[in-house]
Amino acid sequence: MFRKTLKKDPELFQNVSEGLRKLYRTKLFPLEDTYRFHDFHSPALEDADFDNKPMVLLVGQYSTGKTTFIRHLMEQDFPGMRIGPEPTTDSFIAVMHGEQEGVIPGNALVVDPKKPFRKLNAFGNAFLNRFMCAQMPNPVLESISIIDTPGILSGEKQRISRGYDFAAVLEWFAERVDRIILLFDAHKLDISDEFSEVIRALKNHEDKMRVVLNKADQISTQQLMRVYGALMWSLGKIINTPEVVRVYIGSFWAQPLLVPDNRKLFEAEEQDLFLDIQSLPRNAALRKLNDLIKRARLAKVQAYIISSLKKEMPSMFGKDSKKKELIANLGEIYQKIEKEHQISPGDFPNLAKMQELLNGQDFTKFASLKPKLLESVEDMLANDIARLMAMVRQEESAMPSQTVKGGAFEGTMTGPFGHGYELNPDCQWKAGPLLCRVLQSTVWSTQSVLGGWSSCNLPLTPTSSHLNGSCPKLTPSVSPKHAERHPG
């Protein structure tokens, strides 16, 4: 028996993605299927879920700059893109890499086995008519895919039904993406009821969430401090975690800054956010491993809940009344399972949501507890996952340069003007989007561009986002007062 296990291991762990797929199919899926995990929590995983590129989900109220943010990252328009001050993006758009530029409608997209969207079919035509994939050849999309979402509505517009469960769709995406970016407009900090519902739906994915305070160049420094404080206060009421959520401040588009006072802050924040996104391909295998562990823990709890309800049901009479009683007392069943099996309270599903889902179930068809299925998942968590963790580190060290390239991510090396510039082989400094803002300004000088360097033999002539000329020799301009303070 021991020898037989050794023969299986090399085949199982050829690479992390293949190992995760086989572990899920052979050990976790049987437990999920037996105890109706897919009816209560999440559809079964497909092969494409283990092989797809890292995905970034953008969420925010209308006109906060979600679509503009995507265009800023790729430095290119994408099919189906609409930008305006009114709610323009009324669809979920998956922006993905493709050899030919074009749009794939939602109904065709969910039958493609190579795309990780097949299970979205459960949300019906009302959603699929508002779902599409924009394919295009872009270097950024070779490493990641980006999901653009409809603007979250506020006020009276919330009463107009979308025709599908918006929060449930976002929760489906949240389980499968690598990063969730919540965008806020510096002028619109109010968090509507629908936005609050969405953030609560993302409750179990706080580790993936980042917050962007966009359009911060339109307000002064004093106003920015007040806006930042108000945003943190609002988020603290909804995101109930002891840790402070990471907020990136800036103006994420390629236009000149309206109020340039905080330019250095915005540049530093943009670079931090870009580095975070660039790390996604390198950490993709670890993210999938972490999500599988979370799924396995929830599946175990689901098995205990379903088997406990089955055990309490009478064999002959009074089934309906007993069902109502068990649903009403589900909190007590949670506590009983928690003590009996030493399970953390945080592993249990939401009580109110579980009670609502149980109302439509036939308890007599529930399965009783099958120890062998649970033992198989326990073995997976204790042994197989540990070996896969070692493989994750090996794959990361074998591919240290795996990162997002192209678009706004190019030119992050340090040049003569700070980060965001790159020296070409012909000795030309290529300007990134930060310097392009300066070049596009109507009035600018060498003093404002170089930030204290007064003389330079570099001709400042913008040509196709390049500064032509020989390698620069910069001479610092130091005032007498500054020289007295810093004689060195």
Side-chain angles (χ1 to χ4, degrees):
M1 184 177 178
F2 180 68
R3 192 174 299 169
K4 190 176 181 181
T5 304
L6 286 179
K7 287 182 181 178
K8 280 187 175 181
D9 285 346
E11 181 185 357
L12 182 64
F13 301 112
Q14 288 179 358
N15 58 64
V16 175
S17 294
E18 184 69 18
L20 288 171
R21 186 188 297 110
K22 288 187 176 180
L23 283 178
Y24 176 73
R25 286 294 167 198
T26 58
K27 296 192 174 183
L28 183 54
F29 178 78
L31 183 72
E32 291 183 354
D33 191 47
T34 302
Y35 296 103
R36 306 193 178 194
F37 181 90
H38 310 134
D39 295 335
F40 285 85
H41 304 291
S42 176
L45 297 178
E46 300 271 341
D47 288 346
D49 291 314
F50 298 99
D51 298 327
N52 67 308
K53 299 171 186 174
M55 292 192 290
V56 179
L57 177 68
L58 298 181
V59 182
Q61 300 188 151
Y62 73 92
S63 192
T64 55
K66 297 184 296 297
T67 306
T68 305
F69 182 85
I70 298 175
R71 184 172 67 174
H72 177 59
L73 290 184
M74 300 192 304
E75 294 185 345
Q76 184 181 354
D77 292 351
F78 58 89
M81 183 186 78
R82 290 174 58 207
I83 296 174
E86 75 281 3
T88 50
T89 304
D90 61 347
S91 302
F92 283 80
I93 304 177
V95 187
M96 308 182 78
H97 186 267
E99 296 301 325
Q100 299 294 328
E101 186 172 313
V103 173
I104 304 175
N107 284 287
L109 193 59
V110 294
V111 296
D112 187 351
K114 296 181 180 178
K115 297 286 193 298
F117 305 122
R118 285 164 61 92
K119 296 300 181 179
L120 283 170
N121 189 53
F123 292 101
N125 276 331
F127 166 72
L128 295 179
N129 291 334
R130 292 276 183 255
F131 180 45
M132 68 179 73
C133 175
Q135 286 189 324
M136 58 188 299
N138 186 281
V140 173
L141 300 178
E142 292 177 5
S143 304
I144 61 172
S145 300
I146 308 172
I147 312 296
D148 193 12
T149 62
I152 296 173
L153 306 176
S154 58
E156 290 295 321
K157 295 173 185 175
Q158 289 178 181
R159 300 181 183 178
I160 303 174
S161 174
R162 294 181 184 268
Y164 60 91
D165 192 338
F166 182 71
V169 172
L170 284 178
E171 189 174 1
W172 186 94
F173 275 108
E175 291 176 0
R176 289 158 177 80
V177 301
D178 296 70
R179 187 67 75 236
I180 303 167
I181 298 180
L182 301 179
L183 278 97
F184 289 87
D185 187 334
H187 292 90
K188 293 187 295 186
L189 288 184
D190 59 307
I191 299 179
S192 64
D193 293 341
E194 189 177 29
F195 202 2
S196 299
E197 182 185 354
V198 165
I199 295 175
R200 291 190 182 98
L202 307 177
K203 179 183 178 184
N204 296 324
H205 309 283
E206 289 95 346
D207 56 320
K208 300 178 182 180
M209 285 173 55
R210 303 291 185 270
V211 176
V212 168
L213 180 58
N214 201 14
K215 305 182 183 181
D217 66 319
Q218 299 179 12
I219 55 179
S220 66
T221 304
Q222 185 181 24
Q223 291 173 325
L224 179 59
M225 291 186 65
R226 291 173 177 167
V227 167
Y228 177 80
L231 175 61
M232 297 301 291
W233 180 81
S234 299
L235 289 174
K237 295 172 64 178
I238 301 173
I239 304 176
N240 297 318
T241 57
E243 300 86 7
V244 177
V245 65
R246 178 66 166 95
V247 177
Y248 298 90
I249 306 171
S251 178
F252 294 92
W253 65 341
Q255 299 300 318
L257 299 176
L258 295 180
V259 181
D261 299 355
N262 301 305
R263 181 175 62 85
K264 289 185 178 180
L265 170 66
F266 297 159
E267 290 176 3
E269 291 285 282
E270 184 173 87
Q271 187 178 27
D272 286 350
L273 179 58
F274 283 3
L275 290 174
D276 183 68
I277 296 174
Q278 282 183 303
S279 70
L280 295 180
R282 190 168 59 252
N283 299 324
L286 191 60
R287 193 275 304 171
K288 291 172 185 174
L289 185 65
N290 183 59
D291 285 354
L292 189 71
I293 294 171
K294 288 197 294 186
R295 190 180 179 99
R297 293 170 68 92
L298 183 58
K300 281 174 53 185
V301 174
Q302 174 76 7
Y304 288 128
I305 294 171
I306 295 299
S307 59
S308 296
L309 294 173
K310 171 68 174 179
K311 186 179 178 181
E312 296 292 332
M313 285 295 290
S315 56
M316 294 290 290
F317 305 108
K319 293 179 181 178
D320 290 340
S321 59
K322 187 63 176 179
K323 174 183 173 180
K324 293 178 181 178
E325 180 187 336
L326 289 172
I327 293 175
N329 298 328
L330 187 61
E332 297 177 7
I333 296 174
Y334 275 18
Q335 293 177 356
K336 182 180 177 182
I337 295 171
E338 179 186 336
K339 293 178 182 177
E340 186 176 344
H341 300 284
Q342 302 298 312
I343 297 174
S344 170
D347 288 348
F348 285 84
N350 180 270
L351 181 61
K353 183 179 178 182
M354 195 69 177
Q355 288 173 324
E356 181 183 348
L357 292 170
L358 283 170
N359 277 316
Q361 297 288 330
D362 184 357
F363 285 20
T364 59
K365 294 182 179 179
F366 285 173
S368 53
L369 194 64
K370 298 181 179 180
K372 284 188 177 180
L373 291 176
L374 287 164
E375 287 170 8
S376 180
V377 173
E378 288 286 1
D379 178 66
M380 180 190 80
L381 293 173
N383 300 311
D384 298 325
I385 293 294
R387 278 176 286 189
L388 274 180
M389 280 291 294
M391 279 206 67
V392 168
R393 299 305 178 193
Q394 291 174 8
E395 287 190 3
E396 285 180 354
S397 60
M399 297 182 291
S401 60
Q402 194 176 17
T403 184
V404 182
K405 297 179 181 179
F409 296 100
E410 288 297 330
T412 54
M413 297 171 59
T414 301
F417 313 125
H419 68 266
Y421 311 91
E422 179 181 11
L423 186 61
N424 290 337
D426 56 352
C427 205
Q428 291 179 334
W429 289 102
K430 179 183 176 183
L434 302 176
L435 184 57
C436 284
R437 287 176 175 166
V438 182
L439 297 178
Q440 291 164 1
S441 300
T442 54
V443 180
W444 57 283
S445 65
T446 57
Q447 182 70 24
S448 63
V449 175
L450 302 179
W453 298 86
S454 62
S455 64
C456 172
N457 68 350
L458 179 65
L460 296 177
T461 306
T463 305
S464 301
S465 298
H466 285 72
L467 296 179
N468 298 326
S470 59
C471 290
K473 295 180 181 178
L474 303 175
T475 306
S477 174
V478 182
S479 64
K481 186 180 293 185
H482 184 78
E484 291 175 5
R485 294 181 181 175
H486 304 279

